[in-house]
Amino acid sequence: MRLKRASMAEVFYRAKHRIENKQLRRRAFSEGLTLPVPCIPRDDWAGLLMPDIQVGVDSIEPEELLKGKIYTLNTGEDSIGQFETRWRNIFSGDIKYNGALADIRAIWEPARLQHLAKLIIAGQISQPKDVSRIEKAIRDGILDWLEKNPFLLGPHYISPMECGLRLPVFVYALITRNHWSDEDRDMLLDAVYKHGWWVAGRLSLYASLGNHTICESIGLIFAGAVYRKTAEGKKWLEKGISLLQQELSHQVMEDGGPNEQSFNYHRFVLDLYRLAAGFLEKNGLYDCTLWKPRLTKGENFLKTFMDASGNVPSIGDSDDGYALAPCVYPKRGDDDFMETRPCVTFPESGYTVIQSAKRLLFTFDHGSLGMAPLYNHGHADALSISLSVAGEQVLVDSGTYRYNGEPEWRRYFKGTRAHNTVNIDGADQAVQETGFIWSHPYKAELLSIIEKNGSIILEAGHDGYARLKHPVYHKRTVILLDASCFVIRDLFSGKGNHNFELNFHLHPDASVQSEDAWLSIRKNNAKVNTDGLVKSNIL
């Protein structure tokens, strides 16, 4: 499926990697994998500065981390440990990680070492009596990981994205820890160089451009900054900056929305850009001024979707990843968000948000399937809606569940039935080829928007079912009659007999009760009444 969408340049790029992997595999089991690492003076890295970091409302939790807490995506540590032990001494390219064995995303999570990133931040703000314990935990954690995961062996070198996300942690530890031995620092410098080398040769390019590319660029920037006075390090730094510059307008659209059509990955990508910009500017490596207007648009996009409790709809894929660590993130800027209009449309990314004094927040999705040509992280959710009342999520996007190991549920959560829209003849609006590849993408568009005398009328449509034997075009009209009354009208035009399935997904904590002629949806202090009737027009 990837080859069908690949250019000749990408075919050669992938073939080159296959050949190199075979060569590396032979070396791993013959003379051993050795990579000459240049020796650099302390001054090349000791003066580097960390970017400004913000801490969220939750505590840094140093005590729990010092007692061994790691982030596991709700997967048992025993399961992760067993998988790592089984494949520890196997060349990474030979590891089998189909979903029957493990969710590889869960295996990778602790190896991002973000529990140690959080400890490093805690060490910067902790009382002096805690510093020695934190220093020891960071040193032991990193050196233990390096000892258990020799270069290119085991599951944690499969994805260059994962290597890219580890590099900031290595560099933070290198430049902020004061009591490491020369031998320990040499091991860490060795890991920084080898990770940088591996990422530089395995970049996600061509059809694979996406948030992986951003993670890898971050890794190149941090490794390149440490080795910037070597020929390789200078190339890494320049390549990382160049890719971020290129991808900013590709991944963050002109209206600030996500090209990948995933809100979680949008947050992830924006934080990675802020992380890179903060590091580069603080160390005088690059002026990121031209990046900031687009990043501000991205922040304002997400803020527009945020209800009174800070909730944002779970639109598109989510792997629950963080640029740094949970509740720890790079400084996101002090730009004030002044959007107060009752109806805001994002024409490029394809969303409209209706809000009234933050008590009611209604979203309408009339955007594309995702980032072409594979549409990896998009869901078939054309014309889907969500509703939050008084900070309580009522009508929700079903989210992602998980990527690996549950193919039937992966298909469901990506599919049309899992969203607040209409499914026709049991088919999705596009065709799921794999867990990450779509074909037959639909075209969705906002047809009209009218605001008059406090009322708002939105009309949008999509052609996802034009591929049926008897094609059908779906048009949805959303009418806000006043500050709290919506009418939703679905119109289907085409020929033949069809089955139409309309879904509205409630938050798991919401309850439904019958009250006279109404159905009442309640969630804590929020209440939504509906007449209980579904009316559609079919032509």
Side-chain angles (χ1 to χ4, degrees):
M1 293 306 302
R2 288 181 180 271
L3 282 173
K4 286 181 180 179
R5 295 159 173 79
S7 64
M8 190 57 66
E10 180 173 4
V11 171
F12 281 117
Y13 184 70
R14 291 183 176 276
K16 174 174 172 284
H17 288 174
R18 294 291 291 271
I19 294 169
E20 289 174 349
N21 276 352
K22 288 183 178 181
Q23 294 172 341
L24 287 169
R25 185 183 184 280
R26 283 197 298 268
R27 287 172 55 190
F29 297 106
S30 55
E31 73 264 25
L33 277 173
T34 57
L35 183 68
V37 177
C39 182
I40 58 174
R42 179 185 176 88
D43 289 347
D44 284 7
W45 53 265
L48 291 172
L49 301 172
M50 291 175 61
D52 293 333
I53 303 299
Q54 294 177 302
V55 179
V57 293
D58 292 346
S59 69
I60 282 280
E61 63 192 13
E63 281 301 322
E64 294 179 62
L65 296 170
L66 287 169
K67 292 176 182 177
K69 175 181 177 178
I70 60 175
Y71 300 119
T72 62
L73 293 178
N74 298 315
T75 300
E77 290 185 36
D78 289 343
S79 299
I80 295 172
Q82 290 168 10
F83 188 91
E84 289 179 322
T85 300
R86 176 178 178 180
W87 298 100
R88 178 152 287 148
N89 296 313
I90 304 300
F91 180 66
S92 59
D94 292 341
I95 293 174
K96 310 300 181 186
Y97 55 94
N98 64 64
L101 297 174
D103 182 349
I104 194 66
R105 172 65 184 88
I107 301 297
W108 288 338
E109 177 69 14
R112 291 184 175 184
L113 304 180
Q114 294 191 339
H115 55 292
L116 299 180
K118 213 166 190 180
L119 273 179
I120 292 171
I121 305 303
Q124 303 302 299
I125 63 175
S126 176
Q127 297 298 319
K129 60 184 178 66
D130 296 324
V131 170
S132 60
R133 292 175 63 208
I134 291 173
E135 286 271 357
K136 184 177 186 303
I138 294 169
R139 175 191 174 278
D140 291 351
I142 289 179
L143 296 183
D144 180 67
W145 190 90
L146 292 174
E147 182 180 347
K148 290 179 178 177
N149 296 277
F151 185 51
L152 296 189
L153 300 182
H156 301 308
Y157 296 96
I158 294 171
S159 170
M161 169 188 178
E162 300 301 316
C163 296
L165 288 172
R166 266 193 299 277
L167 274 162
V169 184
F170 289 161
V171 175
Y172 289 166
L174 184 67
I175 64 181
T176 61
R177 310 274 61 86
N178 300 315
H179 306 295
W180 290 47
S181 68
D182 291 343
E183 182 181 2
D184 292 344
R185 282 207 181 88
D186 286 345
M187 285 184 64
L188 194 47
L189 284 165
D190 184 81
V192 169
Y193 188 87
K194 288 177 176 176
H195 272 62
W197 178 85
W198 182 241
V199 170
R202 297 296 183 280
L203 291 169
S204 299
L205 303 176
Y206 303 103
S208 295
L209 285 167
N211 66 81
H212 284 227
T213 315
I214 307 305
C215 297
E216 293 152 11
S217 299
I218 293 295
L220 291 182
I221 285 170
F222 277 83
V226 172
Y227 284 94
R228 66 192 179 280
K229 294 184 180 178
T230 69
E232 282 294 299
K234 183 180 179 182
K235 290 179 184 176
W236 299 344
L237 184 59
E238 291 175 349
K239 186 63 174 178
I241 293 171
S242 173
L243 276 175
L244 289 186
Q245 181 71 45
Q246 165 194 304
E247 285 301 296
L248 182 57
S249 59
H250 177 219
Q251 302 203 29
V252 182
M253 304 180 80
E254 176 61 31
D255 60 13
N259 196 354
E260 288 198 290
Q261 299 292 312
S262 161
F263 283 22
N264 176 269
Y265 278 119
H266 199 40
R267 174 72 277 159
F268 185 53
V269 164
L270 291 173
D271 279 349
L272 289 169
Y273 267 96
R274 292 286 187 184
L275 179 64
F279 181 71
L280 289 168
E281 292 192 329
K282 204 157 192 179
N283 292 290
L285 298 172
Y286 187 73
D287 182 357
C288 302
T289 300
L290 295 178
W291 297 2
K292 293 174 184 175
R294 184 69 67 127
L295 295 177
T296 297
K297 287 183 178 181
E299 294 291 344
N300 289 344
F301 175 89
L302 287 176
K303 288 175 183 176
T304 303
F305 286 82
M306 191 176 294
D307 69 14
S309 298
N311 303 307
V312 174
S314 300
I315 293 173
D317 268 352
S318 171
D319 73 352
D320 296 334
Y322 296 89
L324 275 174
C327 300
V328 175
Y329 45 88
K331 188 175 181 181
R332 292 172 178 169
D334 299 320
D335 307 290
D336 291 331
F337 177 67
M338 301 298 292
E339 188 60 77
T340 57
R341 290 177 292 153
C343 182
V344 181
T345 293
F346 297 94
E348 287 82 20
S349 49
Y351 297 94
T352 295
V353 180
I354 298 174
Q355 52 191 325
S356 61
K358 286 297 182 183
R359 288 193 55 77
L360 179 148
L361 193 140
F362 179 97
T363 73
F364 187 30
D365 181 346
H366 43 81
S368 68
L369 179 60
M371 185 185 289
L374 303 178
Y375 312 95
N376 302 54
H377 293 299
H379 289 188
D381 55 3
L383 310 190
S384 184
I385 64 168
S386 71
L387 176 65
S388 177
V389 178
E392 298 287 349
Q393 295 175 298
V394 180
L395 296 177
V396 299
D397 187 297
S398 300
T400 303
Y401 182 51
R402 59 182 285 181
Y403 284 165
N404 303 289
E406 301 285 351
E408 69 279 14
W409 288 113
R410 173 66 172 154
R411 294 184 67 84
Y412 170 76
F413 279 92
K414 282 166 60 76
T416 302
R417 276 197 171 105
H419 300 89
N420 299 321
T421 185
V422 178
N423 168 281
I424 300 179
D425 293 342
D428 290 327
Q429 296 163 344
V431 177
Q432 296 190 47
E433 300 290 354
T434 74
F436 291 96
I437 299 177
W438 291 92
S439 67
H440 298 83
Y442 53 77
K443 179 183 178 183
E445 56 186 339
L446 181 63
L447 300 170
S448 66
I449 178 169
I450 300 172
E451 298 183 59
K452 187 176 181 180
N453 299 328
S455 295
I456 300 170
I457 303 175
L458 304 170
E459 188 175 68
H462 78 88
D463 64 356
Y465 294 108
R467 72 180 192 277
L468 299 180
K469 180 179 179 181
H470 298 294
V472 178
Y473 185 80
H474 177 199
K475 184 162 62 176
R476 170 168 280 187
T477 303
V478 173
I479 306 171
L480 175 66
L481 296 177
D482 56 42
S484 61
C485 183
F486 283 89
V487 175
I488 299 173
R489 177 175 179 261
D490 289 300
L491 177 72
F492 308 96
S493 55
K495 296 180 179 180
N497 295 320
H498 300 276
N499 293 318
F500 300 88
E501 179 183 311
L502 172 64
N503 288 290
F504 288 113
H505 296 271
L506 305 183
H507 189 282
D509 295 335
S511 62
V512 181
Q513 299 172 347
S514 178
E515 295 184 2
D516 299 325
W518 297 87
L519 289 177
S520 176
I521 305 170
R522 296 176 181 268
K523 183 172 181 283
N524 297 327
N525 295 324
K527 179 181 177 181
V528 177
N529 287 332
T530 172
D531 66 3
L533 298 177
V534 176
K535 298 178 181 178
S536 296
N537 294 83
I538 302 173
L539 299 179

